[in-house]
Each structure stands twice: as C-alpha cells, then as structure tokens.
Amino acid sequence: MTGSYSRLFAFDARTGEEKWQYDARLPDGIMPCCDVVNRGAAIHGDKIIFATLDARLVALNRITGKVIWNKQIADYKEGYSATAAPLIVKGMVITGNSGGEFGVVGAVEARDVNTGELIWHRPVIEGHMGTLKGKDNGITGKLNATWQGDLWKSGGGATWLGGTYDPETNLLFFGTGNPAPWNSHLRPGDNLYTASTLAIDPETGVIKWHYQTTPHDGWDFDGVNEFIPFDATINGKPMKLGAKADRNGYFFVLDRTNGKFISANKFVMQTTWANGFNKAGKPNVIPEGRPPAPGEGKGKPVFASPSFLGGKNWMPMAYSQDTGLFYIPSNDWGMDIWNEPIAYKKGAAYLGAGFTIKSIAEDHIGALRAMDPKTGKIMWEYKNKAPLWGGVLTTGGNLVFTGTPEGFLKAFDAKTGQELWKFQTGSGVVGSPVTWEQDGEQYVAVMSGWGGAVPLWGGEVAKSFKDINQGGALWVFKLPK
Amino acid sequence: MLSRRAWMGGAGAALALGLLPGHSHAAPLAKVKALGTLRVVVYKDNRPWSWEESGKLVGLDVDLAQAIAVKLGVRADVAELVADESADDDLRNGVWKGGLLGFMPGDVMLHVPFDRTFAARNDQVAIVAPYYRESFALAGLGGAVPLEGMPTEWRGRRLAAELDSIPDFYLIGSFGGILTKDVAHYPTGSAAVDAVTGGRADAVIASRAQIEEGLHRAGERASRISLRKGPLPAFTSPGWDIGMAVKENSRTLGDAVEEITTAMAASGEMKALFARYGVTWTPANAAG
C-alpha cells in the first residue's frame, strides 16, 4: 500500500499488523504540482515496485521491505515527478512520467524488472526520438505536423496516470496529458500526441495507433484517463473494444485493435467546449467556449464545463462483465476563467489566467454513473454532495464499491444502483477499493485519508468538503456469504 | 491591508504605522537580533538575481541579503526557493507557511513584486522596501536585426525568449503569429540572452537586468550587441517594481529592512552593488 510523501507500507492481510514501511528520502527543492500523492505499486515475483515524487522508481523485496534497485527515471530539477502505479508486462516494468513545469515532455518507458535497466523510451510528443536498447528507434509522429516552431520541444503531454495492458492485442494503452503552454492560442494545431490515448507495442515502444480525445486542448482537460479493454457485440458484430471516460466529459468507445472511433457520449450534465462528436471521431467544437488569448476580453470570464478538474479525474472507473456496464466516478462542475492582468511568476510579470471552480447543480457535484457502452445511455446514477475522488470496484457478486470525501465506503447494486451498505471511515476516501479471496472469504479493503488536488483548487465548491478531516487508515471488510 | 504606497516615503511614516494598536511589533526584529541570524529567501536559478556558481550562491539578491544582514548586525542564512506556479504560491511557501516538503519559511523574501493588487490578495504578508524597477527590453546584433524597426521586420531572424514568458507571448502571439517559427525557446531569460552573446540567436527579449548582466559577462563578445532605444510597439508590460516580503505580523523587521534599503539607495551603495554585475540600478517607481 502506498501513501503520501512517497511511502510504501506492508500490512498482514489477515490481521492488519504492519510488517514494514519504506519512506523515500525526498530531496529539498521538489515542487509537486498536485499534492504529495502516490497512486499505487506493482508486484512481480518477490518484488514490489513503486515510483517516488523525485521521479525515481524503487524495487523492494515485498517480504522484507529491503531495496533491491532504485533508478532515476527523469530529473526532478527539470520539473519531472512520478506518482503513477507501474505496470508489469513480460518481465518489464512500464512507467509514465509526471510534471507540471514547462519544458516537461511526456514519455513511456520499459525497464528490466530485475535490474531496473532501461529497455525502451518513447516520448509522446511528435518530433522527439524514441530509443530501444540504447539505439535510436524512430521519432514520434512527424516533426512540426501539428506544432509550430520549436514548441514541440516543451510540448507537455505527461503520462502521469500510468497505463493498462491487453494481452489479446499485445498492446499497452497510455493516456497523455495536456499540451504546454497552457494558453492554446500560442500553439496552433492539434498538438499531437497530447490529450490522447496511445497504443504502444510492449516489445519496442513503437506507437501502433493513437486517438486524440481533445484536439488543441485549451481547457487543461488532459487525456490521461485509463483505457479499459472489453468485448461487446456492436451492430451484430463481436468486437474487441476499449473505453475511456475523459476529463472532457465524454465517454469514448474505440476499436482497441486499431484505434478506430466507435462512439463518444456525454457522461456529465454539461459540456460547454463541444457539442458531441462527429462520425469521424472529431469534436463539434463550440468556439465561444475556448478561454481567450492573453490581452483579449480582459476581465471578462468565460464559463467552461467541465472544470479543469474534469468530468472524471484520476480515479479509475470499473467495468462489470456481468452487467456489461461501466461505473464512472464523475463530477458535475464548471469554472469561470479569465485573463489575469496582474500575475507574477518567479518574481516577474507574467500573463496568467485566473479561475474559480463553480457548482452547476443544487444538490450534488459528484455522481457515480452506470454507463452502457453499447448505447451511451446512463442506466443509473448516485449523486453525492462533495466531488467524488476515489476509484470504483465491481465484484463478481454484482456489487459496486466506491468511497466519498464525506468518509463513507459505499456498496451499490450493480444493476439498479440501489445503495446497499455504507461505512464511515473517519476521513475522506480518495483511494480505490480492492477485493481478494483468502481462506475461503472475500475481502474488500479501502484506504481513507483526504487530500489530493481537490482541496488545493476547490474554489467555491470547497464548501462541500470544508469540514472533512485529514487522516490515514486502511479499512478491511469481509463480505457476508 | 494598508497600501504600501500610502506609507512610503521614509522612516517617519513607517514608524507611525508601527504605533498602530493591536500588533506586537517589537518581537520579530528583536528575535532576529537575538538569534543573530536573518533567514533570507531568494529564488533558485534566477540569474542575475540568485544562482549557484561553483557551489556558491551568487547574484544581486544574494549580495543584497548579505548587505542587509551586516547592517542589522546579524549573519545572513540565504535559502533558495524553487519557484511554484505563481508568485502568490511562493509567498506561501517562502514566507508565511512553508513548503509542502518542509521548506522553512524565511524572515524576509527578496524579489517579490511590489504591486498594489498583488499585495491586496496576499494579506498574510507585508510587502516592503521596493528596491528596483524591472522591465523588458530587446537586444540584438545591430547589423543583423533592425532593432528600432517594426517586429514584422524581424521575420526570418533567429529570435530568443524564455518559454511561456511575456516576451514569448509577444513574439509568437502578436502580429498574427508571423514570427512564431522564428522563436527559439529557452528555460530562462538569461539563457535566451546567452544564445545571442553565443552567436546562436540574433535578438532576444528579456528583462533588462538579464540582458545587461549577460552582456557584461560576455565582455568583448557582446560589443556588437545593443539594446533597442524606443518602446516595443503594442508591448503589454510597462515594467514592475520589486520589493521584499515579511510575515504580516513582522512589520518591525519590514520597517528596519526598508530603512536599510532606503539608505543604500541614497548613499549610492545600491547602485554600486548592481554595477558589479553590469546592471544599471533603476529605482522602483514606488520609491520615487
């Protein structure tokens, strides 16, 4: 179990006794953009591997907690960080990168799980050279095809949420972050491959296909959200598909063998930036919904929904093979955004943007929604007063678990959405529940402890969580037979 | 919070403010003197103001921190702060709260914008002692670039700017984006200046201090490089004042520091301090 400040804990699953704890020694001078979070670890054989805020990857013996190897994956002095859970594929540990600073370029890397040595490196912005076993392995995309001048060199696209692997197609799926600089008027073009889902060959790091969910992102919608493989029959044809609920408010279904667009449907109340997607998979963009260029419309705010915190943020949705539905932890909120005439960065004048997050509904911000990927229809929803920031779990027994900032772990009927059970954990839940079988019993566990990006950026919606206590506890439950 | 402009103008005004009821003003200055150490926060990698050279912190702000400490009769403990997304965040990390990963706030932070609107929204600190007027300028190879011409005449020249800065927005965003392809981006204004003195670019827009220190350092190599004399057309930033920040309840310290900088300005000491780096000291508008 990983915790804030790049800590890793081992607990006895039967008793909850702490077996060991590893605290990464973090250097002075790291500036994590979005709180001191970590999103999980990966296990391979006797090893457990996790990433630290100073952009390192650490492999420990999972029984003893002793460090086996510790590798730098990027330079924190250049603004890089790492918060995502690594992925283990074919004896390799696959990671993305994080970083809020300008100059950062998103990348996906594969390392030998036994030694931590680099096998391949794939930058996700067009123009950058990839490597395989220390040799050049072709540039990403085509130089200057969707970027002007030298802006691709610092184009952003951090792969900060990690990825998924599909053995059937032998592809890695990684989402990429927002382009830099923030102001979209300074970087005309689609800015590939930012705000996209990429399918990558795990043996070579070559990009097999891409689909961009927000071309020319000007809202910080980002595109890192998880792409979950599933199979379904569409128009009478059985297909290998994948789904992604994007920060931009749309739920995408793609053919996962080739990235072909199947459908995009709204899963939030409102999208002011686009009115649906056309058959080619391009958004019908609403031009007035784009935040203005610096100097234009000074002081006059543009309202944008979803807010930059997204229709769904980092927290993973879940799929149930029994119901064929996806369960999306979503949020209905918008933001006012305007040019800030008096802004300073590093003590110098700067053209900044000001924003404030706003509620758009009387009774809720968070909403757990059951989405039918074949029709794009919401089958049921559960509304929550505070924004949802925790992951979702489905079980074989047709239960859906998720946590709330108010501190509850809740269980719902996967078919009807009826709330079946809840438990107050004492602090906000922003982790993801997990389940396992042991000694003939089924367990469900969740971490409780409020934090992350919402309290940093909450604006007026902060009212909905102002009384939530910080904390840090692991709760484990047994399901009745 | 009171506007600094309202009580600028010398020690008398500052002392008057010190007599306001409801504040314990004696403690912060006395505490610094008792400890014998003044913790001064400067920006990391902020040439020519504060940067590391051969393992040693140097720069205008570092020298100024030392000078202030000497005049207070204490030792300076100069700490480097990594800049966050905005100067507002830096005040939180550097002055009134401390960093997320344990950065200890300073008694005083240098290189803080001295601006009414900025000060009003950062009411956890008092912004005092405006000590320099910063502004952006254009410098280039006289023969290669029509320095006094219209920006559209610079098309096809090699232009340099700090990434995501006001000069960057000016060069790539203005005039219909005509110069976009000609702009090379650098991580700092100082690095952009080095590109010109090193022959890798023809012209640069950066802060005046960055340009002057860069040319001073390049010496002979910079002899063909000069600054534009006229204002840049449609340039949005008129410049800004730089001051210092102390905690809102540390005004005695703020007043003492302000007296020191006012005296340094009057005696010519400030001018001499800047001249060592080749930078022409320009008094802050608010101090005039």
Side-chain angles (χ1 to χ4, degrees), chain B residues 13-30:
Chain B
L15 284 171
L17 193 93
L19 295 173
L20 282 176
H23 291 270
S24 167
H25 283 285
L29 178 59

Side-chain angles (χ1 to χ4, degrees), chain B residues 90-273:
Chain B
D90 299 333
L91 291 176
R92 182 189 67 236
N93 295 332
V95 182
W96 62 269
K97 190 175 179 193
L100 203 52
L101 286 142
F103 184 90
M104 203 173 76
D107 298 309
V108 56
M109 177 168 165
L110 301 194
H111 222 72
V112 175
F114 192 94
D115 173 298
R116 225 183 158 120
T117 313
F118 176 76
R121 67 173 184 245
N122 286 287
D123 57 5
Q124 303 268 12
V125 303
I127 302 177
V128 300
Y131 59 92
Y132 181 73
R133 177 73 181 177
E134 189 60 286
S135 58
F136 290 113
L138 170 79
L141 286 164
V145 184
L147 285 177
E148 304 297 329
M150 284 298 288
T152 45
E153 295 171 48
W154 309 332
R155 199 173 175 182
R157 308 285 194 258
R158 298 171 303 166
L159 308 172
E162 177 182 345
L163 182 68
D164 199 34
S165 63
I166 287 181
D168 182 17
F169 287 2
Y170 179 73
L171 288 172
I172 72 176
S174 306
F175 316 103
I178 194 172
L179 301 172
T180 303
K181 288 178 180 160
D182 300 320
V183 181
H185 292 89
Y186 293 87
T188 64
S190 235
V193 173
D194 288 349
V196 178
T197 58
R200 298 184 304 281
D202 301 318
V204 58
I205 301 182
S207 79
R208 191 170 283 271
Q210 285 164 340
I211 291 173
E212 288 182 343
E213 190 267 340
L215 300 189
H216 174 75
R217 182 157 31 93
E220 267 304 297
R221 282 187 296 127
S223 58
R224 286 173 54 227
I225 300 166
S226 50
L227 273 77
R228 179 186 174 106
K229 292 176 187 71
L232 289 162
F235 196 79
T236 51
S237 172
W240 66 99
D241 286 352
I242 289 169
M244 310 179 185
V246 295
K247 280 182 207 64
E248 204 282 330
N249 62 6
S250 299
R251 288 181 185 251
T252 43
L253 178 61
D255 293 346
V257 166
E258 189 160 287
E259 276 182 57
I260 289 169
T261 53
T262 305
M264 285 177 73
S267 70
E269 199 177 339
M270 197 71 93
K271 195 178 169 195
L273 188 153

Side-chain angles (χ1 to χ4, degrees), chain A residues 344-347, chain B residues 43 85-92 113 118:
Chain A
Y344 296 94
K345 196 169 183 169
K346 210 172 186 175
Chain B
Y43 280 111
E85 286 187 5
S86 74
D88 307 59
D89 296 326
D90 299 333
L91 291 176
R92 182 189 67 236
F118 176 76

Side-chain angles (χ1 to χ4, degrees), chain A residues 53-75:
Chain A
L53 287 164
D54 53 346
R56 302 187 73 89
L57 202 56
V58 185
L60 304 100
N61 181 299
R62 70 186 170 91
I63 310 294
T64 64
K66 294 271 177 296
V67 175
I68 298 170
W69 52 260
N70 180 333
K71 294 278 177 189
Q72 176 178 304
I73 53 179
D75 189 353

Side-chain angles (χ1 to χ4, degrees), chain A residues 331-345:
Chain A
N331 289 308
D332 293 318
W333 48 16
M335 63 177 169
D336 272 340
I337 178 156
W338 63 89
N339 285 315
E340 188 70 75
I342 307 293
Y344 296 94
K345 196 169 183 169

